[in-house]
Short mmCIF file of all heavy atoms in Angstrom, two decimals:
data_model
loop_
_atom_site.label_atom_id
_atom_site.label_comp_id
_atom_site.label_asym_id
_atom_site.label_seq_id
_atom_site.Cartn_x
_atom_site.Cartn_y
_atom_site.Cartn_z
N MET J 1 -5.82 -31.62 14.05
CA MET J 1 -4.85 -30.78 13.35
C MET J 1 -5.31 -29.34 13.35
O MET J 1 -6.36 -29.00 12.83
CB MET J 1 -4.71 -31.27 11.92
CG MET J 1 -3.75 -32.45 11.98
SD MET J 1 -3.46 -33.45 10.61
CE MET J 1 -3.59 -32.69 9.14
N GLU J 2 -4.51 -28.50 13.93
CA GLU J 2 -4.88 -27.09 13.94
C GLU J 2 -3.84 -26.30 13.16
O GLU J 2 -2.83 -25.89 13.69
CB GLU J 2 -4.95 -26.58 15.37
CG GLU J 2 -6.09 -27.24 16.12
CD GLU J 2 -6.07 -26.79 17.55
OE1 GLU J 2 -5.92 -25.60 17.79
OE2 GLU J 2 -6.19 -27.65 18.44
N ALA J 3 -4.09 -26.14 11.92
CA ALA J 3 -3.13 -25.43 11.06
C ALA J 3 -3.74 -24.12 10.58
O ALA J 3 -3.64 -23.76 9.44
CB ALA J 3 -2.74 -26.31 9.88
N ALA J 4 -4.41 -23.46 11.47
CA ALA J 4 -5.03 -22.21 11.08
C ALA J 4 -4.48 -21.07 11.94
O ALA J 4 -5.18 -20.16 12.31
CB ALA J 4 -6.54 -22.31 11.20
N GLN J 5 -3.22 -21.15 12.25
CA GLN J 5 -2.61 -20.10 13.06
C GLN J 5 -1.82 -19.15 12.17
O GLN J 5 -0.61 -19.13 12.18
CB GLN J 5 -1.69 -20.74 14.11
CG GLN J 5 -2.45 -21.59 15.09
CD GLN J 5 -3.14 -20.71 16.12
OE1 GLN J 5 -2.78 -19.56 16.27
NE2 GLN J 5 -4.11 -21.26 16.83
N ASN J 6 -2.53 -18.44 11.39
CA ASN J 6 -1.86 -17.55 10.44
C ASN J 6 -2.25 -16.10 10.72
O ASN J 6 -2.50 -15.33 9.84
CB ASN J 6 -2.25 -17.95 9.02
CG ASN J 6 -1.15 -17.57 8.04
OD1 ASN J 6 -0.07 -17.18 8.45
ND2 ASN J 6 -1.42 -17.67 6.75
N THR J 7 -2.29 -15.79 11.98
CA THR J 7 -2.75 -14.45 12.33
C THR J 7 -1.62 -13.60 12.89
O THR J 7 -1.81 -12.75 13.72
CB THR J 7 -3.88 -14.54 13.36
OG1 THR J 7 -3.46 -15.41 14.40
CG2 THR J 7 -5.15 -15.06 12.73
N SER J 8 -0.43 -13.87 12.45
CA SER J 8 0.70 -13.07 12.93
C SER J 8 1.01 -11.96 11.94
O SER J 8 2.10 -11.86 11.41
CB SER J 8 1.91 -13.96 13.13
OG SER J 8 2.19 -14.66 11.96
N TYR J 9 0.01 -11.15 11.70
CA TYR J 9 0.21 -10.05 10.76
C TYR J 9 0.19 -8.74 11.52
O TYR J 9 -0.81 -8.07 11.61
CB TYR J 9 -0.90 -10.07 9.70
CG TYR J 9 -0.61 -9.16 8.53
CD1 TYR J 9 0.13 -9.62 7.45
CD2 TYR J 9 -1.07 -7.84 8.53
CE1 TYR J 9 0.39 -8.79 6.38
CE2 TYR J 9 -0.80 -7.01 7.46
CZ TYR J 9 -0.08 -7.50 6.39
OH TYR J 9 0.19 -6.67 5.33
N GLY J 10 1.29 -8.42 12.08
CA GLY J 10 1.31 -7.17 12.83
C GLY J 10 2.72 -6.63 12.95
O GLY J 10 3.28 -6.55 14.02
N GLY J 11 3.29 -6.29 11.85
CA GLY J 11 4.65 -5.77 11.87
C GLY J 11 4.76 -4.51 11.04
O GLY J 11 3.80 -4.11 10.38
N ASN J 12 5.88 -3.90 11.11
CA ASN J 12 6.08 -2.71 10.31
C ASN J 12 6.24 -3.09 8.84
O ASN J 12 7.07 -3.91 8.50
CB ASN J 12 7.34 -1.96 10.76
CG ASN J 12 7.00 -1.05 11.93
OD1 ASN J 12 5.84 -0.70 12.13
ND2 ASN J 12 8.01 -0.66 12.69
N ASP J 13 5.43 -2.47 8.04
CA ASP J 13 5.49 -2.80 6.62
C ASP J 13 6.44 -1.90 5.86
O ASP J 13 6.48 -1.89 4.66
CB ASP J 13 4.09 -2.67 6.03
CG ASP J 13 3.62 -4.02 5.47
OD1 ASP J 13 4.12 -5.04 5.97
OD2 ASP J 13 2.83 -4.04 4.56
N SER J 14 7.19 -1.12 6.57
CA SER J 14 8.09 -0.19 5.89
C SER J 14 9.27 -0.94 5.30
O SER J 14 9.78 -1.88 5.89
CB SER J 14 8.61 0.87 6.85
OG SER J 14 7.66 1.11 7.84
N ASP J 15 9.66 -0.51 4.16
CA ASP J 15 10.81 -1.12 3.52
C ASP J 15 12.09 -0.39 3.87
O ASP J 15 13.14 -0.63 3.31
CB ASP J 15 10.64 -1.10 2.00
CG ASP J 15 9.69 -2.20 1.55
OD1 ASP J 15 10.05 -3.38 1.68
OD2 ASP J 15 8.59 -1.88 1.10
N GLY J 16 11.98 0.54 4.80
CA GLY J 16 13.15 1.33 5.14
C GLY J 16 13.39 2.47 4.18
O GLY J 16 14.36 3.18 4.28
N GLU J 17 12.48 2.63 3.26
CA GLU J 17 12.65 3.70 2.30
C GLU J 17 12.11 4.99 2.89
O GLU J 17 11.37 4.98 3.87
CB GLU J 17 11.90 3.37 1.01
CG GLU J 17 12.83 3.38 -0.19
CD GLU J 17 12.11 2.97 -1.45
OE1 GLU J 17 11.24 3.72 -1.89
OE2 GLU J 17 12.44 1.90 -2.00
N SER J 18 12.46 6.08 2.27
CA SER J 18 11.97 7.36 2.76
C SER J 18 10.47 7.49 2.49
O SER J 18 9.87 6.67 1.82
CB SER J 18 12.73 8.48 2.05
OG SER J 18 12.76 8.26 0.67
N TYR J 19 9.92 8.50 3.03
CA TYR J 19 8.49 8.70 2.89
C TYR J 19 8.08 8.84 1.42
O TYR J 19 8.80 9.37 0.62
CB TYR J 19 8.06 9.95 3.66
CG TYR J 19 8.61 11.22 3.07
CD1 TYR J 19 7.84 11.96 2.14
CD2 TYR J 19 9.87 11.69 3.42
CE1 TYR J 19 8.35 13.11 1.59
CE2 TYR J 19 10.38 12.84 2.88
CZ TYR J 19 9.63 13.55 1.97
OH TYR J 19 10.13 14.70 1.42
N THR J 20 6.92 8.33 1.12
CA THR J 20 6.47 8.40 -0.26
C THR J 20 5.92 9.78 -0.56
O THR J 20 5.20 10.36 0.25
CB THR J 20 5.36 7.36 -0.50
OG1 THR J 20 4.47 7.40 0.61
CG2 THR J 20 5.94 5.97 -0.63
N PRO J 21 6.27 10.29 -1.70
CA PRO J 21 5.75 11.61 -2.08
C PRO J 21 4.25 11.55 -2.33
O PRO J 21 3.64 10.48 -2.39
CB PRO J 21 6.50 11.93 -3.38
CG PRO J 21 6.97 10.61 -3.90
CD PRO J 21 7.15 9.73 -2.69
N ARG J 22 3.71 12.70 -2.52
CA ARG J 22 2.26 12.76 -2.65
C ARG J 22 1.79 12.17 -3.99
O ARG J 22 0.68 11.72 -4.12
CB ARG J 22 1.81 14.22 -2.55
CG ARG J 22 0.62 14.35 -1.62
CD ARG J 22 0.29 15.81 -1.39
NE ARG J 22 0.74 16.28 -0.08
CZ ARG J 22 0.59 17.51 0.35
NH1 ARG J 22 0.03 18.41 -0.45
NH2 ARG J 22 1.00 17.89 1.52
N THR J 23 2.68 12.22 -4.95
CA THR J 23 2.28 11.70 -6.25
C THR J 23 2.43 10.19 -6.29
O THR J 23 3.50 9.68 -5.98
CB THR J 23 3.16 12.32 -7.36
OG1 THR J 23 4.51 12.32 -6.91
CG2 THR J 23 2.72 13.73 -7.68
N PRO J 24 1.39 9.52 -6.62
CA PRO J 24 1.48 8.06 -6.70
C PRO J 24 2.34 7.62 -7.87
O PRO J 24 2.42 8.31 -8.89
CB PRO J 24 0.02 7.62 -6.92
CG PRO J 24 -0.66 8.80 -7.52
CD PRO J 24 0.07 10.02 -7.00
N ARG J 25 2.97 6.49 -7.70
CA ARG J 25 3.85 6.02 -8.75
C ARG J 25 3.02 5.31 -9.82
O ARG J 25 3.02 4.12 -9.93
CB ARG J 25 4.88 5.07 -8.16
CG ARG J 25 6.09 4.96 -9.06
CD ARG J 25 7.19 4.21 -8.36
NE ARG J 25 7.84 5.01 -7.30
CZ ARG J 25 8.84 4.59 -6.58
NH1 ARG J 25 9.33 3.39 -6.78
NH2 ARG J 25 9.37 5.34 -5.66
N ARG J 26 2.31 6.08 -10.55
CA ARG J 26 1.48 5.50 -11.59
C ARG J 26 1.77 6.20 -12.91
O ARG J 26 1.93 7.41 -12.96
CB ARG J 26 0.01 5.69 -11.22
CG ARG J 26 -0.90 4.99 -12.21
CD ARG J 26 -2.20 5.73 -12.27
NE ARG J 26 -2.93 5.70 -11.00
CZ ARG J 26 -4.09 6.30 -10.82
NH1 ARG J 26 -4.63 6.97 -11.80
NH2 ARG J 26 -4.68 6.27 -9.67
N THR J 27 1.83 5.45 -13.95
CA THR J 27 2.13 6.05 -15.24
C THR J 27 0.96 6.92 -15.67
O THR J 27 -0.15 6.43 -15.83
CB THR J 27 2.35 4.96 -16.29
OG1 THR J 27 3.25 4.00 -15.77
CG2 THR J 27 2.90 5.57 -17.56
N PRO J 28 1.23 8.19 -15.83
CA PRO J 28 0.14 9.08 -16.23
C PRO J 28 -0.26 8.82 -17.68
O PRO J 28 0.54 8.40 -18.50
CB PRO J 28 0.74 10.47 -16.08
CG PRO J 28 2.21 10.27 -16.21
CD PRO J 28 2.50 8.88 -15.71
N MET J 29 -1.49 9.06 -17.92
CA MET J 29 -1.99 8.87 -19.27
C MET J 29 -1.56 10.04 -20.14
O MET J 29 -2.00 11.16 -19.95
CB MET J 29 -3.52 8.79 -19.23
CG MET J 29 -4.10 8.42 -20.58
SD MET J 29 -3.68 6.73 -21.01
CE MET J 29 -4.63 6.54 -22.50
N ALA J 30 -0.64 9.76 -21.03
CA ALA J 30 -0.15 10.81 -21.91
C ALA J 30 -0.40 10.41 -23.36
O ALA J 30 -0.37 9.24 -23.70
CB ALA J 30 1.33 11.04 -21.68
N CYS J 31 -0.64 11.40 -24.16
CA CYS J 31 -0.89 11.11 -25.56
C CYS J 31 0.42 10.73 -26.26
O CYS J 31 1.50 10.82 -25.70
CB CYS J 31 -1.54 12.31 -26.24
SG CYS J 31 -0.42 13.71 -26.46
N ILE J 32 0.29 10.30 -27.48
CA ILE J 32 1.47 9.81 -28.21
C ILE J 32 2.50 10.91 -28.37
O ILE J 32 3.69 10.69 -28.22
CB ILE J 32 1.02 9.27 -29.58
CG1 ILE J 32 0.09 8.07 -29.37
CG2 ILE J 32 2.23 8.85 -30.41
CD1 ILE J 32 -0.58 7.62 -30.66
N PHE J 33 2.04 12.09 -28.67
CA PHE J 33 2.98 13.20 -28.87
C PHE J 33 3.72 13.53 -27.59
O PHE J 33 4.94 13.69 -27.57
CB PHE J 33 2.20 14.42 -29.38
CG PHE J 33 3.08 15.62 -29.57
CD1 PHE J 33 3.91 15.71 -30.67
CD2 PHE J 33 3.07 16.66 -28.64
CE1 PHE J 33 4.73 16.82 -30.85
CE2 PHE J 33 3.88 17.76 -28.81
CZ PHE J 33 4.70 17.84 -29.92
N CYS J 34 3.00 13.62 -26.52
CA CYS J 34 3.63 13.95 -25.25
C CYS J 34 4.56 12.83 -24.79
O CYS J 34 5.60 13.07 -24.21
CB CYS J 34 2.55 14.21 -24.20
SG CYS J 34 1.67 15.76 -24.45
N ARG J 35 4.18 11.65 -25.06
CA ARG J 35 5.03 10.53 -24.67
C ARG J 35 6.34 10.57 -25.45
O ARG J 35 7.41 10.32 -24.91
CB ARG J 35 4.33 9.22 -24.98
CG ARG J 35 3.39 8.81 -23.86
CD ARG J 35 3.10 7.33 -23.98
NE ARG J 35 1.97 6.97 -23.14
CZ ARG J 35 1.58 5.72 -22.97
NH1 ARG J 35 2.19 4.75 -23.61
NH2 ARG J 35 0.59 5.44 -22.19
N GLY J 36 6.22 10.84 -26.71
CA GLY J 36 7.42 10.88 -27.55
C GLY J 36 8.34 12.01 -27.17
O GLY J 36 9.57 11.90 -27.26
N ARG J 37 7.76 13.12 -26.72
CA ARG J 37 8.57 14.29 -26.37
C ARG J 37 8.77 14.42 -24.87
O ARG J 37 9.36 15.38 -24.40
CB ARG J 37 7.89 15.54 -26.90
CG ARG J 37 7.71 15.49 -28.40
CD ARG J 37 8.02 16.81 -29.00
NE ARG J 37 8.21 16.71 -30.44
CZ ARG J 37 8.70 17.71 -31.16
NH1 ARG J 37 9.04 18.84 -30.59
NH2 ARG J 37 8.87 17.58 -32.44
N LYS J 38 8.23 13.50 -24.14
CA LYS J 38 8.34 13.53 -22.68
C LYS J 38 7.80 14.83 -22.13
O LYS J 38 8.42 15.49 -21.29
CB LYS J 38 9.80 13.34 -22.26
CG LYS J 38 10.36 12.03 -22.76
CD LYS J 38 11.32 11.42 -21.74
CE LYS J 38 11.72 10.01 -22.11
NZ LYS J 38 12.99 9.62 -21.55
N LEU J 39 6.67 15.19 -22.65
CA LEU J 39 6.03 16.39 -22.16
C LEU J 39 4.98 16.03 -21.13
O LEU J 39 4.55 14.88 -21.05
CB LEU J 39 5.37 17.13 -23.32
CG LEU J 39 6.34 17.68 -24.37
CD1 LEU J 39 5.59 18.16 -25.59
CD2 LEU J 39 7.18 18.80 -23.78
N LYS J 40 4.58 17.02 -20.42
CA LYS J 40 3.53 16.78 -19.42
C LYS J 40 2.18 16.91 -20.09
O LYS J 40 1.79 17.99 -20.51
CB LYS J 40 3.67 17.79 -18.30
CG LYS J 40 2.68 17.49 -17.20
CD LYS J 40 3.05 18.31 -15.99
CE LYS J 40 1.93 18.22 -14.97
NZ LYS J 40 1.98 16.99 -14.25
N CYS J 41 1.52 15.80 -20.19
CA CYS J 41 0.22 15.79 -20.85
C CYS J 41 -0.87 16.00 -19.81
O CYS J 41 -0.82 15.43 -18.73
CB CYS J 41 0.04 14.46 -21.58
SG CYS J 41 -1.39 14.42 -22.64
N ASP J 42 -1.83 16.79 -20.17
CA ASP J 42 -2.90 17.02 -19.20
C ASP J 42 -4.00 15.98 -19.35
O ASP J 42 -4.97 15.99 -18.60
CB ASP J 42 -3.46 18.43 -19.33
CG ASP J 42 -3.85 18.75 -20.76
OD1 ASP J 42 -3.99 17.81 -21.57
OD2 ASP J 42 -4.01 19.94 -21.08
N GLY J 43 -3.86 15.11 -20.31
CA GLY J 43 -4.79 14.00 -20.42
C GLY J 43 -6.14 14.35 -21.03
O GLY J 43 -7.08 13.57 -20.95
N ARG J 44 -6.20 15.50 -21.62
CA ARG J 44 -7.48 15.86 -22.22
C ARG J 44 -7.63 15.17 -23.58
O ARG J 44 -6.65 14.71 -24.14
CB ARG J 44 -7.52 17.38 -22.42
CG ARG J 44 -7.59 18.10 -21.10
CD ARG J 44 -7.85 19.56 -21.36
NE ARG J 44 -7.89 20.31 -20.12
CZ ARG J 44 -8.26 21.59 -20.06
NH1 ARG J 44 -8.58 22.22 -21.15
NH2 ARG J 44 -8.29 22.21 -18.91
N PRO J 45 -8.84 15.15 -24.09
CA PRO J 45 -9.05 14.58 -25.43
C PRO J 45 -8.12 15.23 -26.45
O PRO J 45 -7.58 14.55 -27.31
CB PRO J 45 -10.51 14.90 -25.73
CG PRO J 45 -11.16 14.97 -24.39
CD PRO J 45 -10.11 15.50 -23.44
N THR J 46 -7.96 16.52 -26.34
CA THR J 46 -6.92 17.20 -27.09
C THR J 46 -6.10 17.98 -26.09
O THR J 46 -6.53 19.02 -25.59
CB THR J 46 -7.50 18.15 -28.15
OG1 THR J 46 -8.29 17.39 -29.06
CG2 THR J 46 -6.39 18.81 -28.92
N CYS J 47 -4.95 17.46 -25.79
CA CYS J 47 -4.19 18.07 -24.70
C CYS J 47 -3.62 19.42 -25.13
O CYS J 47 -3.63 19.78 -26.30
CB CYS J 47 -3.08 17.12 -24.26
SG CYS J 47 -1.71 17.03 -25.41
N ALA J 48 -3.11 20.13 -24.16
CA ALA J 48 -2.65 21.49 -24.42
C ALA J 48 -1.49 21.52 -25.39
O ALA J 48 -1.38 22.41 -26.22
CB ALA J 48 -2.25 22.15 -23.10
N ASN J 49 -0.62 20.56 -25.29
CA ASN J 49 0.54 20.55 -26.17
C ASN J 49 0.14 20.33 -27.62
O ASN J 49 0.66 20.98 -28.53
CB ASN J 49 1.50 19.44 -25.73
CG ASN J 49 2.11 19.75 -24.37
OD1 ASN J 49 2.56 20.86 -24.12
ND2 ASN J 49 2.12 18.77 -23.49
N CYS J 50 -0.76 19.40 -27.83
CA CYS J 50 -1.22 19.15 -29.19
C CYS J 50 -2.08 20.30 -29.68
O CYS J 50 -2.03 20.69 -30.84
CB CYS J 50 -2.01 17.84 -29.23
SG CYS J 50 -0.98 16.39 -29.03
N HIS J 51 -2.85 20.84 -28.79
CA HIS J 51 -3.73 21.94 -29.17
C HIS J 51 -2.91 23.16 -29.60
O HIS J 51 -3.24 23.85 -30.56
CB HIS J 51 -4.62 22.30 -27.98
CG HIS J 51 -5.59 23.40 -28.31
ND1 HIS J 51 -6.70 23.17 -29.11
CD2 HIS J 51 -5.63 24.71 -27.97
CE1 HIS J 51 -7.36 24.32 -29.24
NE2 HIS J 51 -6.74 25.26 -28.56
N LYS J 52 -1.83 23.38 -28.90
CA LYS J 52 -0.97 24.52 -29.23
C LYS J 52 -0.35 24.35 -30.60
O LYS J 52 -0.18 25.30 -31.35
CB LYS J 52 0.13 24.62 -28.17
CG LYS J 52 0.15 25.96 -27.46
CD LYS J 52 1.42 26.11 -26.67
CE LYS J 52 1.47 25.15 -25.50
NZ LYS J 52 2.67 25.37 -24.66
N ARG J 53 -0.02 23.12 -30.94
CA ARG J 53 0.65 22.86 -32.20
C ARG J 53 -0.33 22.49 -33.30
O ARG J 53 0.07 22.24 -34.43
CB ARG J 53 1.66 21.73 -32.02
CG ARG J 53 2.81 22.14 -31.13
CD ARG J 53 3.53 20.90 -30.64
NE ARG J 53 4.75 21.25 -29.90
CZ ARG J 53 4.77 21.59 -28.64
NH1 ARG J 53 3.64 21.67 -27.96
NH2 ARG J 53 5.89 21.88 -28.03
N GLY J 54 -1.57 22.40 -32.95
CA GLY J 54 -2.56 22.05 -33.95
C GLY J 54 -2.42 20.61 -34.41
O GLY J 54 -2.70 20.28 -35.55
N LEU J 55 -1.95 19.74 -33.49
CA LEU J 55 -1.77 18.34 -33.85
C LEU J 55 -2.99 17.54 -33.47
O LEU J 55 -3.82 17.97 -32.67
CB LEU J 55 -0.55 17.78 -33.11
CG LEU J 55 0.78 18.43 -33.47
CD1 LEU J 55 1.85 17.99 -32.50
CD2 LEU J 55 1.19 18.10 -34.88
N LEU J 56 -3.05 16.38 -34.05
CA LEU J 56 -4.12 15.48 -33.69
C LEU J 56 -3.70 14.70 -32.46
O LEU J 56 -2.75 13.91 -32.50
CB LEU J 56 -4.40 14.53 -34.85
CG LEU J 56 -5.52 13.51 -34.59
CD1 LEU J 56 -6.87 14.20 -34.55
CD2 LEU J 56 -5.51 12.44 -35.67
N CYS J 57 -4.39 14.94 -31.40
CA CYS J 57 -4.03 14.29 -30.15
C CYS J 57 -4.63 12.90 -30.12
O CYS J 57 -5.83 12.73 -30.24
CB CYS J 57 -4.56 15.12 -28.98
SG CYS J 57 -3.96 14.55 -27.40
N SER J 58 -3.77 11.93 -29.99
CA SER J 58 -4.27 10.56 -29.96
C SER J 58 -3.60 9.79 -28.84
O SER J 58 -2.43 10.01 -28.52
CB SER J 58 -4.02 9.88 -31.30
OG SER J 58 -2.68 10.06 -31.70
N TYR J 59 -4.35 8.89 -28.30
CA TYR J 59 -3.85 8.08 -27.19
C TYR J 59 -3.80 6.62 -27.63
O TYR J 59 -4.61 6.17 -28.43
CB TYR J 59 -4.76 8.20 -25.97
CG TYR J 59 -4.75 9.59 -25.38
CD1 TYR J 59 -5.49 10.60 -25.95
CD2 TYR J 59 -3.98 9.86 -24.26
CE1 TYR J 59 -5.49 11.87 -25.41
CE2 TYR J 59 -3.97 11.12 -23.72
CZ TYR J 59 -4.72 12.12 -24.30
OH TYR J 59 -4.73 13.37 -23.77
N ILE J 60 -2.86 5.94 -27.06
CA ILE J 60 -2.78 4.51 -27.35
C ILE J 60 -3.71 3.77 -26.39
O ILE J 60 -3.51 3.86 -25.17
CB ILE J 60 -1.35 3.99 -27.16
CG1 ILE J 60 -0.40 4.79 -28.04
CG2 ILE J 60 -1.29 2.52 -27.52
CD1 ILE J 60 1.06 4.45 -27.77
N PRO J 61 -4.68 3.11 -26.91
CA PRO J 61 -5.58 2.35 -26.03
C PRO J 61 -4.81 1.25 -25.31
O PRO J 61 -3.87 0.68 -25.85
CB PRO J 61 -6.61 1.76 -27.00
CG PRO J 61 -6.45 2.50 -28.27
CD PRO J 61 -5.05 3.00 -28.31
N VAL J 62 -5.24 1.00 -24.11
CA VAL J 62 -4.54 -0.01 -23.31
C VAL J 62 -4.68 -1.38 -23.97
O VAL J 62 -3.77 -2.19 -23.96
CB VAL J 62 -5.13 -0.04 -21.89
CG1 VAL J 62 -4.39 -1.08 -21.05
CG2 VAL J 62 -5.02 1.33 -21.27
N SER J 63 -5.83 -1.61 -24.55
CA SER J 63 -6.07 -2.92 -25.14
C SER J 63 -5.20 -3.14 -26.37
O SER J 63 -4.92 -4.25 -26.77
CB SER J 63 -7.54 -3.05 -25.52
OG SER J 63 -7.90 -1.97 -26.36
N ALA J 64 -4.76 -2.02 -26.97
CA ALA J 64 -3.97 -2.15 -28.19
C ALA J 64 -2.54 -2.57 -27.88
O ALA J 64 -1.80 -2.98 -28.76
CB ALA J 64 -3.97 -0.83 -28.95
N GLN J 65 -2.14 -2.40 -26.62
CA GLN J 65 -0.77 -2.74 -26.28
C GLN J 65 -0.63 -4.23 -26.02
O GLN J 65 0.45 -4.75 -25.91
CB GLN J 65 -0.36 -1.97 -25.03
CG GLN J 65 -0.31 -0.48 -25.31
CD GLN J 65 0.11 0.28 -24.06
OE1 GLN J 65 0.03 -0.22 -22.97
NE2 GLN J 65 0.56 1.51 -24.25
N LYS J 66 -1.75 -4.88 -25.93
CA LYS J 66 -1.69 -6.30 -25.64
C LYS J 66 -1.70 -7.09 -26.95
O LYS J 66 -2.66 -7.03 -27.70
CB LYS J 66 -2.90 -6.69 -24.79
CG LYS J 66 -2.59 -7.93 -23.95
CD LYS J 66 -3.86 -8.50 -23.39
CE LYS J 66 -4.04 -8.12 -21.94
NZ LYS J 66 -5.27 -8.68 -21.40
N ALA J 67 -0.65 -7.77 -27.22
CA ALA J 67 -0.59 -8.56 -28.44
C ALA J 67 -1.10 -9.96 -28.17
O ALA J 67 -0.44 -10.76 -27.54
CB ALA J 67 0.84 -8.61 -28.96
N SER J 68 -2.27 -10.21 -28.66
CA SER J 68 -2.85 -11.50 -28.36
C SER J 68 -2.29 -12.58 -29.28
O SER J 68 -2.15 -12.43 -30.41
CB SER J 68 -4.37 -11.45 -28.52
OG SER J 68 -4.70 -11.04 -29.80
ZN1 LIG O 1 -0.50 15.22 -24.57
ZN1 LIG O 2 -1.81 15.39 -27.15
#
């Protein structure tokens, strides 16, 4: 029995979609304030938006989003 012929991996992997932009489709890490206001967060411990407003910049930990 020779059932190890699984080497036909050589085709175009394009989905027919246009070229992907330079920015990866990944959710940027934004603080709670920026997320709520849909602002561009720079991801700093105290981001520029919060710093400008004198707010407490806080991020939601990834582990906190998981309800065990
Ligand atoms: Zn922010
Ligand atoms: Zn912030």
Side-chain angles (χ1 to χ4, degrees):
M1 279 172 30
E2 294 176 45
Q5 295 282 342
N6 207 9
T7 49
S8 55
Y9 192 87
N12 275 340
D13 241 26
S14 330
D15 282 293
E17 237 177 67
S18 48
Y19 67 94
T20 43
R22 226 173 256 179
T23 43
R25 202 170 286 182
R26 185 209 296 179
T27 311
M29 187 68 174
C31 71
I32 297 171
F33 178 77
C34 288
R35 276 199 194 186
R37 301 222 165 191
K38 301 216 171 155
L39 295 170
K40 185 168 170 78
C41 189
D42 52 17
R44 291 189 182 189
T46 300
C47 74
N49 293 314
C50 289
H51 182 74
K52 238 192 292 184
R53 292 163 174 83
L55 297 169
L56 180 70
C57 189
S58 50
Y59 294 79
I60 304 173
V62 181
S63 54
Q65 294 180 341
K66 206 194 258 180
S68 57

